[in-house]
Amino acid sequence: MAVCIMVIVKENYPFYVRSIPVENELKFHSVVHTSLDLVDEKISAMGKALVDQRGLCPGLLYPTEDYKVYGYVTNSKVKFVTLVDSSNTAHRDNEICSMFWKLHNSYTDVTCNPFPNPGDRIRPRVFDNMVTSLMTQVC
Amino acid sequence: MEAAAGGGCGSGPPLLSESEQQCYSELFARCAGAASGGPGPGHPETSRVASGAATAAAGPVADLFRASQLPAETLHQITELCGAKRVGYFGPTQFYVALKLIAAVQSGLPVRIESIKCELPLPRFMMSKNDGEMRFGNPAELHGSKVQIPYLTTEKNSFKRTDDEEKQETQSPTMSPFASPPSSPPHYQRVPLSHGYSKLRSSTEQMHPVPYEGRQPLVQPEGPSSGGPGTKPLRHQASLIRSFSVERELQDNSSSYPDEPWRITEEQREYYVNQFRSLQPDPSSFISGSVAKNFFTKSKLSIPELSYIWELSDADCDGALTLPEFCAAFHLIVARKNGYPLPEGLPPTLQPEYLQAAFPKPKWDCALFDSYSESMPTNQQARDLNRMEKTSVKDMADFPVPTQDVTGDDKQALKSTLNEAVPKDVPEDPATKSGLLPPPPALPPRPCPSQSEQVSEAELPSQLNRAPSQAAESSPAKKDVPHSQPPSKPIRRKFRPENQSAESQEPSTTISGPASGASVKPHPTVQKQSSKQKKAIQTAIRKNKEANAVLARLNSELQQQLKEVHQERIALENQLEQLRPVTVL
């Protein structure tokens, strides 16, 4: 089950964080931050050949003892990173990627709102709901 | 049903007695019904109240609390204690706890959670019944006056008036449930409650004007900031919005949808369509996000609220608003400005399909609105939006009609001052003579700057001045025309100070000859001239003052616009930051 989902903008700070056991958020922050380098690495390694119409899905970035970190990059260099519980090994890359695609779709819906939303990202409830459903469903 | 509702939150506030349960759930239904239009006309037996998804809106709840006549500080404490601040809304639990606290405070207990643990009398049914009665009495009030102070006083009056008789009724029912809950006291109780129900049912029909009315104090104080003319159309608009809400009630009573505040009336629909056309001439295409953003930002709602409204109304999430989406968004903004809290989801009456079905696309060729939209360019709209008028169409339609006439006159008058057209003085002179003033002593050549001001005012884009000058003109409308004339005379005097007596008199005598015919003699010319001068100076002073007022208003409006432009600029810069060209990682 996805334990944490983060949306990181181009400037490499988290735009949206959602984690299920909320108290571990700080730990997730540091894990995700360190995994950003991996994302960059993989992207530069993959080059332009694999640019999917739906975005780059490097997939599994890094398995730690507790979690597996998956990453995804959009065209506008917005990264989605998710931590999945290691106990659930039945996931395949495709599932993760499809989850990311859904995330991407609802993220674009959110960005269509022309009114600037400086810091507070919790307002788009649709996005929120979708994220919650994703997180619980991916188990 | 109500017992279920009460029982559902029985774990929160301890042991609501049956009477309390009924009373509270009735109040809650009313407050929730006001906001989300859930349980129809106040009928408490619908399941929607007990579904727990209903929340009481802050507006009616605040009204209710205020009706309990507790000081504001106490109400704040109560709100905090009951947890509404914490969760951000008045759910059933919070509402019931708040009501119990109110009862406690009214019984003289301190505002603490422990207070509600003891047996309490009901929180003064006067709060509920008088509330219903007050609200019932208010719409009658509404149709008449335009001031909101009577609202508060009538509230208190009705409160006091019915207080005594209500107390008699309520004292006995309150005692009996505490003793034991046999079936007879509930019946007995139900008598006053059903009395309250019938009142409620009829009053909730009319209840919606109340939140509008109650919100007028919020809406109105922003009016004076735009100056005198602002308040005039604002009050006009206030009454019209109220009339809208009443019309809406009447319409909704026949409809199947209980969401009264979210239904768009015909006039509103036309107004929205008109605004859409002003932004985007083709009615079947979109308004882009940035255009819509500029437009809605002028409504001065906060940005999170606007983004929330956008989120609700842009159903297909494409970053652009089609006409039904635009109407929905506009309607939500109007509702929000009138104090309605925003709904959780798009109400069914605002869904695009519904809007498209209910109001077919035509009416583009409504001649009135064509002329209206032509005569009101965007900056004028900006000005009107600044005044926060998502006003009625009638109000807007009023604008072109009188102003065109008046500005026509005004321009004509001013042009005549420029040219010093002689024939203009003819109708003018007797007017000044009739507009008699006690002759002031001094005789400075001041009128000259006033005339130049007038001229410059006329030269300003007429639209810019139309709104401020509309009120300026509508009140002293009659006087403007004559008053524009006197500057000509003092100017002539200024140019020829020595020959004042002869030369200014000559034209005026030749002019006033056919008109008055009494002032031709050179002998009384001196006296007459001084009195004329004084009159002229008085009128010039008045004109100056008016010009000052107009310019001051103009100034304040421009200041506001400047502020907004600044804000827009900041927002744009933010966006630019975010949207810097996408570079490689």
Side-chain angles (χ1 to χ4, degrees):
Chain A
M1 175 164 79
V3 186
C4 168
I5 288 185
M6 270 201 186
V7 176
I8 295 152
V9 297
K10 202 164 34 93
E11 287 82 5
N12 285 340
Y13 62 84
F15 192 43
Y16 176 81
V17 181
R18 189 66 187 281
S19 56
I20 287 198
V22 185
E23 58 272 8
N24 284 341
E25 196 164 308
L26 202 56
K27 183 166 92 168
F28 296 153
H29 272 271
S30 72
V31 170
V32 169
H33 188 76
T34 51
S35 60
L36 288 179
D37 292 335
L38 288 172
V39 176
D40 294 348
E41 222 180 271
K42 294 224 170 182
I43 294 300
S44 56
M46 282 161 85
K48 293 200 179 146
L50 295 175
V51 171
D52 203 344
Q53 56 148 351
R54 299 212 207 170
L56 296 174
C57 195
L60 177 66
L61 296 176
Y62 189 73
T64 69
E65 58 278 6
D66 290 331
Y67 310 105
K68 294 196 195 122
V69 183
Y70 290 91
Y72 176 87
V73 184
T74 69
N75 291 338
S76 52
K77 312 299 176 202
V78 174
K79 304 176 199 49
F80 301 129
V81 178
T82 177
L83 271 69
V84 181
D85 211 351
S86 274
S87 53
N88 251 329
T89 50
H91 297 302
R92 297 177 309 158
D93 259 3
N94 284 344
E95 289 174 11
I96 302 290
C97 277
S98 62
M99 182 191 85
F100 276 130
W101 289 333
K102 282 191 234 163
L103 202 64
H104 191 181
N105 281 337
S106 80
Y107 176 75
T108 51
D109 288 345
V110 166
T111 43
C112 281
N113 191 331
F115 296 104
N117 228 336
D120 173 32
R121 250 302 278 276
I122 311 300
R123 287 308 294 260
R125 298 160 307 120
V126 181
F127 189 77
D128 237 10
N129 296 341
M130 202 230 32
V131 167
T132 330
S133 68
L134 274 186
M135 287 173 81
T136 52
Q137 151 213 334
V138 169
C139 51
Chain B
M1 182 53 64
E2 301 316 321
C9 62
S11 57
L15 302 174
L16 288 180
S17 66
E18 212 177 300
S19 64
E20 286 179 314
Q21 277 182 12
Q22 281 172 341
C23 168
Y24 292 176
S25 49
E26 161 195 324
L27 289 173
F28 184 72
R30 196 144 35 98
C31 288
S36 58
H43 211 275
E45 270 130 7
T46 56
S47 57
R48 279 181 268 192
V49 172
S51 71
T55 59
V61 170
D63 285 340
L64 196 65
F65 286 179
R66 257 181 268 128
S68 69
Q69 301 256 310
L70 294 178
E73 203 182 288
T74 319
L75 291 175
H76 281 313
Q77 283 179 329
I78 289 177
T79 325
E80 277 177 29
L81 268 184
C82 75
K85 286 239 167 99
R86 200 173 3 104
V87 295
Y89 59 84
F90 271 102
T93 324
Q94 288 81 26
F95 188 71
Y96 290 19
V97 171
L99 288 178
K100 279 216 84 133
L101 282 170
I102 288 179
V105 173
Q106 284 174 339
S107 319
L109 297 171
V111 182
R112 284 207 309 263
I113 290 288
E114 297 80 19
S115 318
I116 63 175
K117 302 238 191 282
C118 49
E119 301 260 352
L120 289 169
L122 289 165
R124 301 302 174 272
F125 276 135
M126 48 189 161
M127 186 171 71
S128 63
K129 286 213 184 63
N130 286 4
D131 214 19
E133 218 169 338
M134 158 190 85
R135 289 178 172 186
F136 183 72
N138 251 347
E141 175 84 24
L142 277 179
H143 292 291
S145 71
K146 297 182 185 194
V147 188
Q148 45 304 42
I149 298 179
Y151 164 69
L152 297 171
T153 53
T154 51
E155 175 188 348
K156 292 204 167 75
N157 288 341
S158 63
F159 182 97
K160 290 195 178 75
R161 189 168 25 92
T162 57
D163 188 21
D164 300 325
E165 63 192 25
E166 299 286 1
K167 259 194 179 154
Q168 312 288 346
E169 275 184 325
T170 62
Q171 290 305 348
S172 31
T174 53
M175 290 309 130
S176 42
F178 290 155
S180 62
S183 56
S184 48
H187 284 309
Y188 180 28
Q189 238 176 29
R190 282 213 189 86
V191 170
L193 282 183
S194 65
H195 171 61
Y197 280 175
S198 61
K199 269 203 201 144
L200 275 183
R201 204 172 300 142
S202 55
S203 67
T204 46
E205 308 290 341
Q206 322 242 358
M207 189 174 47
H208 293 284
V210 175
Y212 276 160
E213 172 74 315
R215 288 302 158 271
Q216 293 309 323
L218 298 178
V219 166
Q220 279 277 16
E222 303 186 41
S225 68
S226 59
T231 57
K232 243 182 125 210
L234 198 62
R235 283 217 192 108
H236 191 35
Q237 157 230 340
S239 67
L240 285 163
I241 283 187
R242 265 182 255 129
S243 67
F244 268 175
S245 61
V246 172
E247 287 170 1
R248 204 178 294 153
E249 310 308 339
L250 301 174
Q251 271 188 9
D252 293 324
N253 291 345
S254 57
S255 79
S256 59
Y257 279 108
D259 314 289
E260 288 100 346
W262 305 120
R263 177 169 288 272
I264 300 184
T265 63
E266 195 59 38
E267 297 92 344
Q268 289 183 324
R269 166 77 182 200
E270 286 176 356
Y271 177 68
Y272 299 156
V273 159
N274 204 38
Q275 297 288 324
F276 184 93
R277 282 178 75 206
S278 70
L279 293 177
Q280 166 68 270
D282 179 7
S284 59
S285 80
F286 303 139
I287 292 185
S288 74
S290 48
V291 171
K293 177 183 170 219
N294 290 338
F295 185 70
F296 290 137
T297 316
K298 291 178 193 141
S299 70
K300 297 227 185 102
L301 285 181
S302 64
I303 294 212
E305 287 184 356
L306 284 173
S307 87
Y308 185 65
I309 288 178
W310 176 279
E311 189 191 322
L312 285 181
S313 56
D314 191 6
D316 47 5
C317 291
D318 55 357
L321 295 180
T322 60
L323 180 62
E325 289 174 348
F326 178 81
C327 291
F330 212 134
H331 194 73
L332 286 169
I333 288 181
V334 170
R336 181 69 186 140
K337 288 218 90 83
N338 285 312
Y340 274 100
L342 293 175
E344 296 288 316
L346 199 62
T349 51
L350 288 183
Q351 300 277 352
E353 315 80 40
Y354 176 81
L355 285 177
Q356 269 185 336
F359 296 97
K361 283 281 180 80
K363 303 210 180 178
W364 301 129
D365 46 13
C366 189
L368 176 62
F369 300 120
D370 277 341
S371 67
Y372 163 65
S373 61
E374 279 160 11
S375 65
M376 301 278 269
T378 356
N379 61 350
Q380 175 69 11
Q381 271 175 355
R383 175 169 307 282
D384 295 319
L385 285 174
N386 288 349
R387 300 240 196 101
M388 180 186 53
E389 352 354 344
K390 303 300 177 159
T391 68
S392 64
V393 164
K394 197 168 126 198
D395 198 27
M396 298 294 257
D398 280 343
F399 267 58
V401 174
T403 51
Q404 276 161 5
D405 296 339
V406 179
T407 49
D409 280 347
D410 195 26
K411 277 198 197 149
Q412 220 182 359
L414 291 172
K415 275 190 200 139
S416 65
T417 60
L418 273 182
N419 307 333
E420 299 188 3
V422 165
K424 275 301 172 182
D425 287 341
V426 180
E428 212 284 307
D429 226 7
T432 49
K433 286 210 180 106
S434 57
L436 306 150
L437 314 160
L443 182 69
R446 275 158 69 222
C448 207
S450 81
Q451 198 225 11
S452 59
E453 273 178 352
Q454 292 293 323
V455 167
S456 62
E457 227 183 27
E459 282 166 1
L460 277 176
S462 66
Q463 297 124 1
L464 214 58
N465 265 337
R466 194 174 302 165
S469 56
Q470 190 240 353
E473 255 109 15
S474 55
S475 40
K478 303 299 178 279
K479 285 188 181 173
D480 256 357
V481 173
H483 290 169
S484 58
Q485 289 319 305
S488 63
K489 284 198 233 139
I491 283 187
R492 268 179 274 150
R493 273 191 214 114
K494 184 187 178 196
F495 292 156
R496 292 164 283 187
E498 314 84 33
N499 309 342
Q500 281 181 12
S501 56
E503 318 227 341
S504 62
Q505 200 46 41
E506 273 171 17
S508 58
T509 49
T510 53
I511 294 152
S512 60
S516 57
S519 55
V520 190
K521 306 284 182 285
H523 197 297
T525 54
V526 179
Q527 272 181 350
K528 201 175 158 280
Q529 180 209 332
S530 64
S531 67
K532 259 199 190 171
Q533 277 178 2
K534 287 164 191 168
K535 273 182 227 156
I537 294 206
Q538 281 258 314
T539 50
I541 289 175
R542 222 178 311 139
K543 193 73 165 144
N544 266 343
K545 282 190 189 151
E546 283 164 14
N548 273 348
V550 167
L551 286 176
R553 265 180 250 132
L554 199 58
N555 187 27
S556 64
E557 281 174 11
L558 288 174
Q559 289 286 344
Q560 265 185 342
Q561 279 197 338
L562 181 66
K563 250 187 267 174
E564 276 155 29
V565 169
H566 274 315
Q567 283 173 1
E568 275 186 30
R569 183 177 148 220
I570 291 173
L572 281 174
E573 282 181 9
N574 278 342
Q575 276 193 344
L576 183 64
E577 278 298 316
Q578 292 171 3
L579 293 172
R580 283 259 164 80
V582 174
T583 54
V584 188
L585 291 172

